[in-house]
Amino acid sequence: MAAPAAACVWVLRCLLLLLSVTDGAAGEAAPGGDCGCSASRGSGDGREVAARRYSAAAAGGGWSAGRGPMVAIPGGVFTMGTDEPEIQQDGEWPARRVHVNSFYMDQYEVSNEEFERFVNSTGYVTEAEKFGDSFVFEGMLSEEVKADIHQAVAAAPWWLPVKGANWKHPEGHDSSIFNRMDHPVLHVSWNDAVAFCTWAGKRLPTEAEWEYSCRGGLENRLFPWGNKLQPKGQHYANIWQGVFPTNNTAEDGYKGTAPVTAFPPNGYGLYNIVGNAWEWTSDWWAVHHSTDEVHNPKGPSSGTDRVKKGGSYMCHKSYCYRYRCAARSQNTPDSSASNLGFRCAADTLPELR
């Protein structure tokens, strides 16, 4: 029968999640703790191949819809990573010199409006929709939805698997994106992001490209705008204020995601490059890096998880200090969550069709 099989899947995935968060979430809260940064489903190699095949075919139908403005990022050399890592187990170190060719980066995170155009144009079905569920932060859920959830992970009890949660229904069946069309699309897996970018004539940025873009022309700074989190008392990113995970005072104006145009852009004109929603990169995950100077690195040739950067509205210095340019985390390619989105890159501006 379907029910016992589904129950087994739930148990397996909860165990996988427990394994992924135990290292950072046990005991007292700490900057390297896990705010839901690594809620992963498991291996998804077959789905990755399918997504690439599907998106390549879909691209033939036209790219005019769903392509937001892109910013020209000048080539150059920068210091990637840091010699003063805040979360050592994430592989933020060592600092190393990296050369990056010029490229283009989406000025904004991909919005719900853009993703809806993609889906309407291609009929694409996200992995969260196929699985029938996705991970949602408990603080965003209605009491009705929470009443139907009987699974939880002790190491991260605020991170719940919600049936019916997907990009159209970010907090489950009783939610919608009607008033959030200009917010970042959420609950998109790495495979979903690849499908969208390919359809739009783009690609995901490498981790090096992403971090180079994040720094906005600055060297050895914590954030895209400098070392002070709130210069002159101004908020520059959508992150958690208050006590995580129990009280978000929303001093920056948002308890959940913000519009993709919110907050000041960095030196390259990129908005919300940290905070708001995690952003997928093309790299496989690894935590050991050479100090050798390199040109246009693309990460390991294989792996189990993909790198994501930037942190989200759930990040707080006391627990998940990952809204720094050098910070990083990972998920399996088929994972999705209510704080995970993306933006695209390109070697040249895609042609209008």
Side-chain angles (χ1 to χ4, degrees):
M1 298 293 290
C8 291
V9 172
W10 281 106
V11 172
L12 176 59
R13 287 174 48 209
C14 285
L15 288 172
L16 287 170
L17 174 58
L18 177 59
L19 290 172
S20 72
V21 302
T22 298
D23 288 345
E28 293 295 321
D34 199 300
C35 57
C37 298
S38 302
S40 297
R41 293 187 189 274
S43 178
D45 293 342
R47 283 178 289 271
E48 177 186 338
V49 173
R52 287 187 179 277
R53 185 184 305 116
Y54 177 89
S55 58
W63 301 335
S64 58
R67 183 166 64 248
M70 301 196 83
V71 172
I73 308 296
V77 59
F78 78 111
T79 302
M80 185 173 179
T82 177
D83 283 331
E84 298 178 349
E86 294 286 346
I87 309 175
Q88 293 204 15
Q89 68 267 26
D90 282 357
E92 297 177 358
W93 58 288
R96 61 264 188 204
R97 299 295 283 173
V98 173
H99 296 256
V100 176
N101 290 344
S102 60
F103 64 102
Y104 291 85
M105 190 79 148
D106 279 352
Q107 189 170 22
Y108 310 109
E109 296 163 313
V110 173
S111 68
N112 284 315
E113 181 178 6
E114 288 182 285
F115 200 80
E116 183 179 65
R117 290 185 186 135
F118 160 60
V119 170
N120 288 343
S121 175
T122 65
Y124 186 83
V125 179
T126 63
E127 296 199 283
E129 291 172 283
K130 293 175 182 176
F131 280 113
D133 63 80
S134 188
F135 287 102
V136 181
F137 174 57
E138 183 268 346
M140 305 299 291
L141 295 173
S142 68
E143 292 303 317
E144 178 185 354
V145 168
K146 285 191 284 187
D148 289 335
I149 300 174
H150 305 291
Q151 295 84 15
V153 179
W158 52 85
W159 222 199
L160 301 177
V162 176
K163 293 180 180 179
N166 55 57
W167 73 274
K168 291 182 290 187
H169 305 286
E171 293 83 47
H173 64 84
D174 63 350
S175 65
S176 79
I177 56 173
F178 179 75
N179 293 319
R180 288 179 276 181
M181 296 305 289
D182 60 347
H183 286 226
V185 65
L186 305 174
H187 298 288
V188 284
S189 69
W190 186 90
N191 297 317
D192 299 331
V194 167
F196 176 96
C197 291
T198 306
W199 169 78
K202 306 177 185 181
R203 58 176 174 79
L204 286 175
T206 65
E207 182 179 8
E209 288 174 334
W210 191 99
E211 187 168 328
Y212 180 68
S213 299
C214 179
R215 295 183 180 279
L218 301 179
E219 271 285 300
N220 299 312
R221 296 294 187 270
L222 290 173
F223 311 115
W225 54 87
N227 283 328
K228 291 185 177 180
L229 180 61
Q230 293 177 240
K232 298 181 180 180
Q234 183 176 2
H235 291 282
Y236 277 70
N238 179 18
I239 57 175
W240 189 284
Q241 290 92 41
V243 179
F244 183 84
T246 57
N247 180 36
N248 185 354
T249 59
E251 294 168 22
D252 58 18
Y254 303 95
K255 283 195 172 183
T257 55
V260 298
T261 56
F263 302 99
N266 74 354
Y268 287 148
L270 304 176
Y271 288 74
N272 289 291
I273 193 70
V274 296
N276 216 25
W278 279 100
E279 299 181 11
W280 288 110
T281 75
S282 61
D283 290 31
W284 288 110
W285 172 261
V287 295
H288 301 292
H289 314 287
S290 171
T291 57
D292 293 344
E293 193 163 330
V294 294
H295 292 255
N296 303 305
K298 299 183 184 300
S301 59
S302 62
T304 57
D305 292 359
R306 295 286 184 173
V307 176
K308 60 181 183 178
K309 299 277 283 185
S312 78
Y313 67 88
M314 290 174 61
C315 286
H316 187 277
K317 185 175 182 179
S318 69
Y319 207 81
C320 183
Y321 191 27
R322 292 183 174 95
Y323 45 89
R324 296 166 292 111
C325 291
R328 56 205 300 270
S329 190
Q330 89 281 10
N331 280 106
T332 56
D334 60 353
S335 295
S336 60
S338 61
N339 64 348
L340 181 52
F342 70 104
R343 76 178 72 210
C344 306
D347 296 320
T348 59
L349 282 177
E351 294 181 5
L352 288 173
R353 289 191 178 185

